[in-house]
Amino acid sequence: SFDYFFNSVSQTIVVTIPQTPGNPPTPSDGHRTGVRPTGAYWGASPEQIDVLSGNVNFTVPILKAVSRTGWGAGFNLNYNSQNWRQDSGGIWNLAEDVGYGYGWRLMAGSITPIWANQTTFSYYSFTDATGAQYRLDRQSGSLWSSAESVYVSYDSESNKLYFRDGSYWVMRCTSATSEADSGTLYPTIMEDTNGNQILITYKPGAGLGGTNSSARISQIQDVRALYTFSYNSDSPNHLTSISNNVGTAESYTLGYTPFTLQAPFSPYTTYGTVSKLDNVYFNTTGQQYWFNYSSDNSGAVTSVGLPNGGGLAWAYQNVTY
């Protein structure tokens, strides 16, 4: 590193990947999150229950950014109930709180590099807006694709994710090492075949300045509107509101409650304080989604109130796979 006067400084940092309870080093456990086009599901949008795994997947559509041609991308708040696993290696906390509440994500999609160990790269994992994860493990030069039924390819040299319709995303946001999703890449430019663009900027990672080093969206700019995202001072900062400058219904206020996260398996290890997403309030209509969670502090969503007054509720049990 160099300062303005070209004085240099170097620092050696030793990184140890933990093999104690936490996130496993590779997601090769076969757990199924999100909604896949080839899957079988009970229920309808925004609730889908995977009939193979029993996972609840719940999606809150937040906004759709569009280009001049009407092409665009949806940004969803997404929750999946498979947040824990217990095996011979211990108890694994598979969920994160990156600024939207424990177990929730807000994004159009992401790319995560997966390492088999500290020195060996394995493959890339593509996550779509529903939270479904696909292995991009077929390599041809710098191009990575999947044997699964997702027709995307990632160019690791240009940091571009390509889709079947010829559009692509430039993945220039990388979550910093201070973030729960460290190393995950998010799109900063979405471009169609005519060159029309959607621009996304992200907040800095914890303890950093600048932009584009966390999963927390700062603003989205499309052909119609500028969407602005505001956050509180929590650690991590949590999204509290979304506004735009054209007066559409895509304007929200979000509320949270902190709690001590606890594993649902004996010996019921605690994982510090995290925040649960309580509600998503529609500023223009007065409607809202509200969420209740399990009494065991495992962070599982047990019921949802819907904007038009209905509701959904779930009960959970542990299953041996």
Side-chain angles (χ1 to χ4, degrees):
S1 301
F2 295 87
D3 67 10
Y4 182 80
F5 300 101
F6 296 100
N7 299 306
S8 64
V9 63
S10 62
Q11 175 69 46
T12 300
I13 300 173
V14 178
V15 178
T16 301
I17 298 178
Q19 299 301 319
T20 53
N23 287 327
T26 59
S28 56
D29 47 48
H31 73 290
R32 291 165 58 93
T33 59
V35 177
R36 294 167 175 258
T38 56
Y41 300 92
W42 183 92
S45 184
E47 176 215 36
Q48 301 277 356
I49 298 177
D50 190 320
V51 299
L52 178 65
S53 68
N55 294 340
V56 172
N57 202 81
F58 191 83
T59 300
V60 179
I62 293 297
L63 61 90
K64 181 178 181 181
V66 298
S67 71
R68 289 179 177 86
T69 60
W71 171 88
F75 289 77
N76 299 330
L77 263 174
N78 178 268
Y79 169 84
N80 189 277
S81 65
Q82 191 173 355
N83 295 328
W84 298 93
R85 187 179 79 245
Q86 185 180 43
D87 58 24
S88 59
I91 296 174
W92 306 100
N93 176 16
L94 302 174
E96 303 163 339
D97 181 359
V98 295
Y100 307 109
Y102 176 78
W104 289 90
R105 304 294 294 270
L106 173 57
M107 62 179 181
S110 68
I111 290 285
T112 304
I114 304 300
W115 294 79
N117 53 49
Q118 294 181 351
T119 59
T120 306
F121 181 77
S122 184
Y123 61 92
Y124 289 97
S125 177
F126 167 63
T127 305
D128 67 16
T130 75
Q133 299 174 350
Y134 301 88
R135 293 167 64 113
L136 305 184
D137 54 7
R138 300 297 188 266
Q139 183 185 11
S140 176
S142 64
L143 206 62
W144 296 78
S145 58
S146 180
E148 302 179 77
S149 56
V150 56
Y151 302 99
V152 301
S153 57
Y154 177 63
D155 188 334
S156 58
E157 287 188 356
S158 64
N159 285 72
K160 291 181 179 180
L161 181 67
Y162 292 92
F163 297 86
R164 280 193 296 177
D165 63 358
S167 64
Y168 63 86
W169 297 353
V170 181
M171 314 296 286
R172 292 296 185 187
C173 171
T174 304
S175 279
T177 55
S178 56
E179 295 292 312
D181 60 342
S182 173
T184 300
L185 290 83
Y186 297 94
T188 55
I189 300 173
M190 299 174 171
E191 185 167 325
D192 68 10
T193 54
N194 294 314
N196 297 303
Q197 293 184 341
I198 296 166
L199 307 179
I200 307 103
T201 306
Y202 300 80
K203 291 287 188 179
L208 301 177
T211 59
N212 295 337
S213 54
S214 79
R216 295 178 291 280
I217 300 172
S218 174
Q219 66 178 34
I220 299 173
Q221 184 176 359
D222 69 8
V223 69
R224 310 160 304 148
L226 177 66
Y227 298 94
T228 302
F229 295 69
S230 299
Y231 293 80
N232 61 21
S233 58
D234 291 350
S235 181
N237 305 147
H238 286 101
L239 177 68
T240 54
S241 67
I242 301 173
S243 60
N244 64 71
N245 62 352
V246 292
T248 69
E250 300 162 318
S251 174
Y252 310 94
T253 300
L254 295 82
Y256 304 87
T257 300
F259 72 104
T260 300
L261 183 65
Q262 181 174 292
F265 311 112
S266 177
Y268 306 106
T269 307
T270 58
Y271 289 76
T273 300
V274 297
S275 291
K276 52 189 175 184
L277 176 64
D278 287 329
N279 67 300
V280 178
Y281 179 81
F282 294 68
N283 294 329
T284 55
T285 65
Q287 298 170 298
Q288 67 174 328
Y289 288 94
W290 52 258
F291 310 100
N292 288 327
Y293 294 79
S294 58
S295 59
D296 64 358
N297 281 350
S298 66
V301 175
T302 55
S303 63
V304 172
L306 301 174
N308 290 326
L312 297 166
W314 308 277
Y316 301 95
Q317 63 179 351
N318 297 327
V319 174
T320 301
Y321 286 94

